[in-house]
Amino acid sequence: MTDDPVTRAHAMEFSDDVPANASANPTMGDVIAARFGRRDLMKGIMAATAIGATLGPLALASARGTRAAAGSFGFTELEAGVDATHHVAPGYRAEVLIRWGDPVVAGAPEFDPAAQSAEAQSRQFGYNNDFVAYFPIDGSSEHGLLVVNHEYTNEELMFPGVGVQKKKDDFAGMTKALVDIEMAAHGGSVIEIRKENGRWRVVRDSPYARRLTLQTPMEMSGPAAGHPRLVTSYDPTGRRVLGMVNNCAGGKTPWGTWLSAEENFHGYFRGELGEDHPEARNYRRYGVPGNWYAWGKFHDRFHIDREPNEANRFGWIVEIDPFDPASTPKKRTALGRFKHECATPIVNADGRVVVYMGDDQRFDYIYKFVTAGRFDPADPAAARDLLDEGTLYVARFDADGTMEWMPLVFGRGPLTPENGFESQADVVIEARRAADLLGATKMDRPEDVEPNPKTGRVYAMCTKNKKRKKGDENPANPRSENRWGHVVEMIPPDGDHTASTYRWEILLLCGDPTIAEVGARFSSATSKDGWFANPDNCAFDAEGRLWIATDGNNARFTGRADGLWAVETEGELRGTSRHFFRCPAGAEMCGPEFTPDGRTLFLAVQHPGDDGEEWPEFGRTSTFEDPSTRWPDFRDGVPPRPSIVVVTKEDGGPIGS
Ligand code: FEO
Ligand code: CA
Ligand code: CA
Ligand code: CA
C-alpha cells in the first residue's frame, strides 16, 4: 500500500498521518513495557488472553474439518478470498435491500448515474453506507425502521468523467453542482422495511422515510450550545447548524433514538488560520483543515479563513428520533468533540446510561459518558435530553491489568483557565487536548467500542496503527507497525459501567497467525479462513455473541476481502473466529445489525470497487468508467453502488446457530 493518497479511501486511511496527538502521554507500549518485561512479553500475551498456544483436541478436530462441540456458532465457514461479488456462508441468503441512489422519500426519482443532481440525491439513498440500526415497529422483528449513516463520497466512482480529484490539483475537476451532490450524498437515511413471504423489502413512500444531509437543520445542545466558539455568520446563536458530516458508526439508545457519530470532520475544511488565531491550537489537534474535498471552494462555511468557527460545530454525537421525520436532530456536546467512531449505550444497573466511544485516529483515545439522570423504561419520553447532562471520561490502561476512567470536568485537575479551559464548553470542544492533559492512553485507532449486553464486558476494536514504533510492544497493544489491529476487552467490576476502575485484557491480535512475524493470536481452533485483520465495526446478536466487521483486508496484504467474522468470547473456544460473509472487491464491511429475534442480519457494503490498485487481479485505479467491480448491478454504465445487504437463513432460523 502506498502512502501517497490515491483514492478517497486512501485519504481516509492516511488521514491519521497528521501527527495530531503531540502530547507526551505514555503509549500503551510504555504501559505494557512496565507491566511485562521484554522476555515475558509473549508469555504475558498468552496469560492475558487465555488463548492456548498448544494444539489441543479442539485444534485437531478443526484440522480434520470437524466442528468443535463447545462452540456457540453452528454455521459452516465461508472460504476467505476476493472477487467481484459478495459471498455468505452456506445455507444463508444475502440479498441487496437498498443501494446508493435508490428512492428514499416519497416522489424521489429512480437512480440515473448519467443525470445526477443534488435535488434528486437529497431524496435518494446516500453514498457509503456505514452504521445500520434496526428499530422495531410494535416490537416486530419483521417490520421496522432501518437507519443508515452515509459516511463519505468517492467522486471517481460516483461521477462520469471526473476521476480522482486531488488536493495538489486543487480539485480542479470539481464543480459546485458536483460538490452539492456530494453534500446531499452524505448524512443519513431512515427507511421503513418489512419482511413478507420470507423476503425483506423497502416500504415505498413511507411516512417515516427521511434523508438527512448537509442541509438538514440541527440543534446544538449541552454545555457547548450557544458558546461564542460555536457562533458563525449564519448562526449568531451558536445553536443552529446545518447538517452532519462523515457519520461513521453510532448506536441506539434504550429510548429509541439513533446516535450518529461524526468522525473525520476535519477533511471537509480548507483554508488557513494564522498561528496566532485563537482556534489554531484546537484545529491543529484535530487536523483542521484536512483538505480532502472541494467544498470550501464553493461554500464559505467549509473555508476556515471565512468561517473560522464552523469546524467547532462538527465532530459530535448527533441524536436523531427516527420515528419523527420532522424532528430536529441534536448534537449532544456533553459527549465531547473528537473523531467519533461510535456511541454505544448500555443501561447500568442503577438506571444511569453509559455510552462507550472511540476516537478513531492513531494514538487517540477511548471514552465513555455517564448520564447524570436515570433511564426509566416505563417513561422513555423523559429520557429525551438525558444525554445533555453527565460526565465524560477518558481511559488510561495501567500496567497491572486495571484501567482508570478519568473525568473530563472543568476545574478538576489540569482542566483550568491556566491551560486554556474557561468552562465545560471549552473542555468538550477540545476534548482531545483535555484528555492529553489527563494522561489518557494512546491507542491503535479505536473504532467500535461496544458492551456485550449479556456479559457486561466491553470490546474495543483497535483497527491498526502502523506508526507505533518499535519499543512499544506489549500485551495490550503489543505490536509496533501494527498493520493488523487487535481487540481489547474491558471488564467493569460486578458489571458496574459507572465504575472508575475496570480490568482489561486482550481478546485477539489480528492478522495471519501462520506468519510468525505478524504475531497474530487467535485460538488454535481458528481455520485458515477464520482469521482476519483490521477489526472496525462489531455487534452482538440476540445470544450475546460477538460479530466483527473489518476494514482493511485488502487482497494484496491478506489475499482476502473485508467481511464479517463470528468470534467466540467465552469458554474454551474463546478467541476462535469463523468467516461468515465477504464483501466484493474494494469494499469494507459496515453495519452489522441484527433484528431482536436474531433471524435477520443487516450488513452495509461500503465503497465497493474502491482500492483497485490493491487488488492484483485489477491493479489500477478504479473509476466510474473503469471500475474494479460493478457490484451489485453488474450492468454496463452503472458504477458500483454502496448497498445494504440483508442476510437470512434459508430455513428461517437464527443467524449463526
Ligand atoms: Fe469511519 Fe473509523 O471508520
Ligand atoms: Ca469504521
Ligand atoms: Ca457496532
Ligand atoms: Ca475504518
Side-chain angles (χ1 to χ4, degrees), residues 463-464 479 482-486 510-511 518 532-535 557-558:
T463 198
K464 67 171 113 175
R479 289 174 292 181
N482 177 11
R483 290 178 176 274
W484 316 103
H486 59 284
C510 303
V518 168
F532 59 84
N534 309 122
F557 284 151
T558 65

Side-chain angles (χ1 to χ4, degrees), residues 360 445 447 536 551 588:
D360 180 10
R445 290 189 55 189
E447 299 243 34
D536 187 328
D551 171 19
E588 73 171 271

Side-chain angles (χ1 to χ4, degrees), residues 130 151 248 263 341 360 445 447 536:
D130 197 302
E151 188 185 20
C248 193
E263 194 188 20
E341 173 70 22
D360 180 10
R445 290 189 55 189
E447 299 243 34
D536 187 328

Side-chain angles (χ1 to χ4, degrees), residues 96-132:
V96 171
L97 178 70
I98 188 167
R99 304 158 294 187
W100 165 51
D102 283 339
V104 170
V105 297
E110 295 293 333
F111 181 57
D112 181 350
Q116 300 179 49
S117 71
E119 197 281 325
Q121 177 65 84
S122 67
R123 296 185 290 152
Q124 298 165 328
F125 198 64
Y127 205 74
N128 275 348
N129 30 225
D130 197 302
F131 179 72
V132 180

Side-chain angles (χ1 to χ4, degrees), residues 191 323 338 403 427 507 609 656:
I191 56 175
F323 288 95
F338 42 92
M403 58 179 292
V427 171
L507 177 67

